[in-house]
């Protein structure tokens, strides 16, 4: 079995494949392979995924940031009898993939909006600049919509600029945010919905001694340090390790106990607000995959006790 991820080097993907690898290790007797390009490159990942369908055909977890180009390869794999679980990005119509493990990303975006309004106040007036690394990626667009609509509802005096493209590549992301900070020196806050957004916003704020708010997503070590220092007021954690573990555990159980017949629908997974109140616990959790598993175990036990219990229709995924 194996997992294909969009970017082998960025933290969000590492969290997912470490969770997946941990699940395979706990199950025992699974030859488990992780593949993904070193940079976000849809066609390169597509080729790696197709290779995986030849070498590790007992079951594959697929995470990607360019769903349309995986429609045909996924459908071909399913037609050949390979169980495929979509992870983090909902499968497209026509992919024949019917089981998806992921967050309600709109809900996570709304959570970031609520945390922002807690700091700015519901009567705040001014602009908030919003960034999305890969416009057109449903997961990220849903987060951005959640932020934008959440702010409009909770603090009508705030005008959201964007979302602007801020790229997943760390260097490109830094340059994009630099441009936005230069163009909007009086903004109340800069918010990003991707991995590199969080720590690049913190870096810029520290360099410029900015008085504006900054926050974003994911648990890159630099992001967690920014929360610990108070540079970023929160990080929204989609709990990628948990998703990787759940998707792989359900896949293995389905293959071993149910002839490869996966559940059908959206297995919604939770998310978490990381702030000064829980940052030390999270830093401990992030020390190793083993520490992460120990921290997540109560949640995992509950979620995996009956995987079909909370499944929603795929069409509701966002």
């Amino acid at each position: 079995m194996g997992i294909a991820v969009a970017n082998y080097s960025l933290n969000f993907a590492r969290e997912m494949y470490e969770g997946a690898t941990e699940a395979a290790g706990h199950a025992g007797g699974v030859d488990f392979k992780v593949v993904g390009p070193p940079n976000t490159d849809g066609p390169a990942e597509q080729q790696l995924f197709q290779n995986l369908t030849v070498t590790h055909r007992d079951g594959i977890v697929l995470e990607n940031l360019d769903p349309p180009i995986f429609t045909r390869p996924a459908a071909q794999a399913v037609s050949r009898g390979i169980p495929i679980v979509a992870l983090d990005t909902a499968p497209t119509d026509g992919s024949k993939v019917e089981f998806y493990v992921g967050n309600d990303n709109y809900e996570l975006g709304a959570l970031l909006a609520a945390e922002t309004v807690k700091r700015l106040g519901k009567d705040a007036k001014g602009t908030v600049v919003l960034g999305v690394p890969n416009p057109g990626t449903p997961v990220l667009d849903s987060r951005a919509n959640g932020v934008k609509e959440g702010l409009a509802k909770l603090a009508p005096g705030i005008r959201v600029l964007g979302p602007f493209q801020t790229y997943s590549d760390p260097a490109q992301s830094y340059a994009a945010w630099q441009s936005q900070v230069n163009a909007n020196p009086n903004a109340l806050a800069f918010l990003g919905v991707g991995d590199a957004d969080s720590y690049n916003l913190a870096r810029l704020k520290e360099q410029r001694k900015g008085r504006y708010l900054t926050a974003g997503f994911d648990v890159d070590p630099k992001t967690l340090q920014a929360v610990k220092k108070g540079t970023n007021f929160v990080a929204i954690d989609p709990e990628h390790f948990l998703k990787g573990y759940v998707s792989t555990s359900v896949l293995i159980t389905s293959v071993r106990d149910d002839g490869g017949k996966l559940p059908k629908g959206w297995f919604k997974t939770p998310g978490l607000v990381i702030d000064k109140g829980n940052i030390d616990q999270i830093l401990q959790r992030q020390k190793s995959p083993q520490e992460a598993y120990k921290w997540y175990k109560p949640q995992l036990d509950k979620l995996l006790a009956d995987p079909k219990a909370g499944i929603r229709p795929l069409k509701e995924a966002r």
Side-chain angles (χ1 to χ4, degrees):
M1 293 184 172
I3 182 172
V5 295
N7 185 319
Y8 191 86
S9 57
L10 288 182
N11 176 268
F12 76 90
R14 186 179 307 115
E15 291 284 315
M16 282 188 260
Y17 69 68
E18 284 182 349
T21 303
E22 199 73 5
H26 289 161
V30 181
D31 172 12
F32 195 77
K33 185 171 185 178
V34 177
V35 300
N39 301 300
T40 304
D41 183 337
E45 187 197 357
Q46 183 195 61
Q47 185 59 58
L48 290 166
F49 168 72
Q50 288 176 296
N51 294 345
L52 207 55
T53 65
V54 175
T55 62
H56 290 69
R57 54 174 296 115
D58 288 337
I60 297 170
V61 176
L62 173 61
E63 181 276 328
N64 71 87
L65 293 175
D66 197 354
I69 71 169
F70 285 87
T71 302
R72 188 176 175 189
Q76 289 171 336
V78 173
S79 295
R80 299 206 313 269
I82 302 173
I84 305 290
V85 178
L87 170 62
D88 198 47
T89 299
T92 52
D93 292 338
S95 69
K96 297 187 179 180
V97 177
E98 298 180 303
F99 182 53
Y100 166 55
V101 177
N103 307 102
D104 182 332
N105 285 284
Y106 181 92
E107 197 175 76
L108 295 187
L111 202 54
L112 179 55
E115 293 295 325
T116 303
V117 173
K118 275 186 194 176
R119 276 78 179 176
L120 292 175
K122 61 181 175 34
D123 297 323
K125 290 180 171 52
T127 57
V128 168
V129 180
L130 180 60
V132 58
N134 301 291
T137 299
V139 169
L140 301 174
D141 287 347
S142 288
R143 290 180 188 175
N145 289 338
V147 173
K148 198 165 187 172
E149 292 176 15
L151 287 173
K153 180 181 176 183
L154 297 171
I158 291 176
R159 184 166 67 102
V160 177
L161 303 181
F164 300 101
Q165 183 171 10
T166 52
Y167 304 96
S168 57
D169 174 77
Q172 285 182 292
S173 170
Y174 178 79
W177 278 117
Q178 195 171 37
S179 296
Q180 291 302 329
V181 172
N182 287 341
N184 301 282
N186 298 315
L188 299 172
F190 294 87
L191 306 174
V193 299
D195 192 321
D197 294 330
S198 298
Y199 53 79
N200 279 323
L201 281 170
R203 179 182 166 197
L204 279 162
K205 184 176 179 179
E206 287 178 351
Q207 287 172 345
R208 298 177 179 222
K209 297 181 171 54
R211 299 174 66 85
Y212 47 80
L213 296 179
T214 51
F217 276 70
D218 299 316
V219 293
D220 185 277
K222 296 185 291 296
T223 297
L224 296 181
Q225 285 305 317
V227 174
K228 174 76 173 170
K229 289 193 285 186
T231 308
N232 287 1
F233 62 92
V234 294
I236 304 297
D237 179 9
E239 299 191 308
H240 294 310
F241 181 98
L242 178 143
K243 281 186 294 198
Y245 195 104
V246 165
S247 57
T248 307
S249 180
V250 173
L251 175 63
I252 293 168
T253 301
S254 297
V255 169
R256 284 183 169 166
D257 300 343
D258 207 11
K261 189 178 178 183
L262 289 160
K264 292 184 179 182
W266 170 29
F267 188 117
K268 182 190 168 190
T269 55
L272 179 71
V273 175
I274 301 174
D275 58 19
K276 285 206 162 187
N278 63 359
I279 184 63
D280 290 333
Q281 293 176 44
I282 301 305
L283 288 168
Q284 178 63 34
R285 184 193 80 184
Q286 293 303 113
K287 284 185 175 180
S288 70
Q290 294 72 37
E291 285 292 327
Y293 173 71
K294 192 192 308 181
W295 192 88
Y296 281 118
K297 189 175 186 305
Q299 281 189 82
L300 288 167
D301 288 346
K302 188 174 179 182
L303 290 169
L304 292 170
D306 184 3
K308 295 179 182 177
I311 285 188
R312 303 177 176 202
L314 256 181
K315 65 183 180 183
E316 292 182 7
R318 56 182 185 170

